[in-house]
Amino acid sequence: MQPTILVTGGAGFIGSNFVLQWLDKEAHKVVNLDLLTYAGNRDNLAGALESQRHEFVLGDICDSALLDTLLKRHRPRAVVHLAAESHVDRSIHAPETFVQTNIIGTFRLLQACLEYWRELPPDERMSFRFLHGSTDEVYGSLNPEDPPVTESTAYAPNSPYAASKASSDHLVRSFHQTYGLPTVIVNVSNNYGPRQFPEKLIPLLIVNAVAGKPMPIYGDGLQTREWLYVKDCCEALRAVLAAGSPGESYNVSGGTEVPNIRIAHDIAKILQERRPSQTGYYESLITYVADRPGHDRRYAIDSSKIKLETGWLPTKNIDTGLRETVEWYLTNPEWVQNVTTGKYCTWVPESKAHM
């Protein structure tokens, strides 16, 4: 049987980039399980759907029977769990969905994987991995003088989204500590890059600016994040899958703290170079709006552990990565049109920024 990995959420932003990168750089087959909710998009998988090493399965991680069937049929050597509800604003408006997917879904996937893993031959049990994709938001907000968080920093989630991811992290850790399931957790900083649904800050600013709409920024715009180019994130996931130690967590970031308002100005300047505005400068579209409830002020991550243990290093700084991201959205107008004429237009208020 051909070596296989199972990826959940593989039609989403990080998931689709991971699947495409995996097929390009690894020999294993990918079984891709995705429910295709609003942020899941088969168009994200262009180039993979025709591959003999990629099998797409429409389904829910909460469906225990489906999970059991997929694990027994394909016998994956690893499960890469990237399926999640990930938008903070949506979690504020509809937290139950986040509890269902991020907590209950992760629990059912862990249960199915535990039973599958227990039946494997000893050598396959030793090499099996359950990789759980998570976020730096589980650590909560930092003060300006605080050092970057490490893997030993206490969790302090502030939004329903962050709380649901913190809960799932604890479940994953408990399945290793209690049952011995070989799990690894990867907590990543804010991702950006191709194929990101335009409810998140960077694609929202790009798409709005190109359409001549306001480029909304919450509050004073001085909230800082460590932005991580999605392809660097996917390389980190592969590195941890190959060299990470079972039971461990790994923080991953781009390494540079950037305030949101700088992101907006940089996007405006890049667009003005690439597609000069006929009505003035894009920077005139930057609009401050009322801050969202419980908005974390600062995230900063220490990525020393993953660098030391796996050799992973980011390849894109925010300047290069942002320029490539803007270029992707400018050269893929059909993709943008397809996603912005769907639920996005009816759910996301034009006067707000989302990330």
Side-chain angles (χ1 to χ4, degrees), residues 282-347:
Y282 289 102
E283 289 192 348
S284 66
L285 298 174
I286 296 173
T287 304
Y288 292 93
V289 299
D291 212 346
R292 73 179 176 210
H295 196 174
D296 289 343
R297 193 69 176 169
R298 173 179 174 240
Y299 300 145
I301 288 184
D302 183 338
S303 296
S304 300
K305 182 177 178 179
I306 186 174
K307 294 173 183 177
L308 178 65
E309 294 192 15
T310 74
W312 173 86
L313 290 171
T315 63
K316 300 287 185 188
N317 60 39
I318 185 63
D319 298 321
T320 303
L322 196 59
R323 188 168 292 274
E324 291 188 14
T325 300
V326 171
E327 187 69 25
W328 189 90
Y329 281 90
L330 289 177
T331 54
N332 288 272
E334 184 177 350
W335 185 93
V336 174
Q337 178 71 10
N338 287 342
V339 299
T340 56
T341 55
K343 294 181 180 178
Y344 166 79
C345 291
T346 60
W347 190 88

Side-chain angles (χ1 to χ4, degrees), residues 27-272:
H28 291 61
K29 176 181 176 181
V30 175
V31 177
N32 184 351
L33 175 63
D34 199 294
L35 189 57
L36 292 182
T37 56
Y38 75 94
N41 187 344
R42 285 175 63 91
D43 290 345
N44 290 347
L45 297 165
L49 294 174
E50 298 77 24
S51 172
Q52 296 297 312
R53 294 191 296 116
H54 177 266
E55 180 175 333
F56 181 79
V57 179
L58 178 63
D60 191 343
I61 58 171
C62 292
D63 185 343
S64 297
L66 173 61
L67 296 175
D68 291 339
T69 297
L70 290 176
L71 291 168
K72 290 175 182 176
R73 177 184 301 162
H74 297 285
R75 296 181 63 83
R77 63 162 290 269
V79 171
V80 180
H81 179 33
L82 304 176
E85 294 285 345
S86 65
H87 181 32
V88 173
D89 282 26
R90 287 181 185 267
S91 80
I92 294 171
H93 292 283
E96 186 170 347
T97 304
F98 288 71
V99 171
Q100 183 66 25
T101 299
N102 297 352
I103 302 177
I104 302 301
T106 298
F107 170 68
R108 290 185 179 166
L109 182 61
L110 284 165
Q111 279 191 308
C113 287
L114 178 61
E115 294 306 312
Y116 163 73
W117 174 74
R118 282 173 165 169
E119 298 301 319
L120 290 174
D123 58 332
E124 294 182 36
R125 280 205 306 273
M126 288 289 294
S127 62
F128 179 81
R129 293 292 183 272
F130 182 103
L131 187 153
H132 176 62
S134 190
T135 173
D136 59 348
E137 296 193 34
V138 299
Y139 298 112
S141 185
L142 295 176
N143 294 315
E145 69 279 5
D146 290 337
V149 299
T150 69
E151 289 80 2
S152 62
T153 299
Y155 279 18
N158 290 318
S159 69
Y161 161 63
S164 70
K165 291 301 292 183
S167 298
S168 66
D169 287 5
H170 290 317
L171 280 170
V172 172
R173 183 178 186 277
S174 75
F175 267 67
H176 173 75
Q177 296 293 331
T178 302
Y179 308 112
L181 185 69
T183 65
V184 284
I185 299 172
V186 182
N187 296 94
V188 302
S189 61
N190 284 53
N191 270 233
Y192 70 101
R195 305 179 188 87
Q196 188 169 31
F197 191 78
E199 64 185 357
K200 300 297 180 76
L201 181 66
I202 287 177
L204 178 64
L205 292 175
I206 297 169
V207 170
N208 274 20
V210 170
K213 298 179 180 180
M215 298 172 66
I217 292 293
Y218 275 143
D220 61 9
L222 297 180
Q223 305 89 350
T224 62
R225 304 290 185 262
E226 289 198 42
W227 294 94
L228 177 66
Y229 193 62
V230 67
K231 294 181 181 179
D232 282 337
C233 175
C234 295
E235 289 285 2
L237 296 176
R238 292 197 308 116
V240 170
L241 203 57
S245 299
E248 295 296 321
S249 296
Y250 296 88
N251 289 340
V252 184
S253 77
T256 303
E257 294 183 50
V258 183
N260 290 345
I261 189 61
R262 180 194 146 183
I263 295 292
H265 283 291
D266 286 352
I267 289 173
K269 290 174 182 176
I270 295 168
L271 284 171
Q272 191 64 31

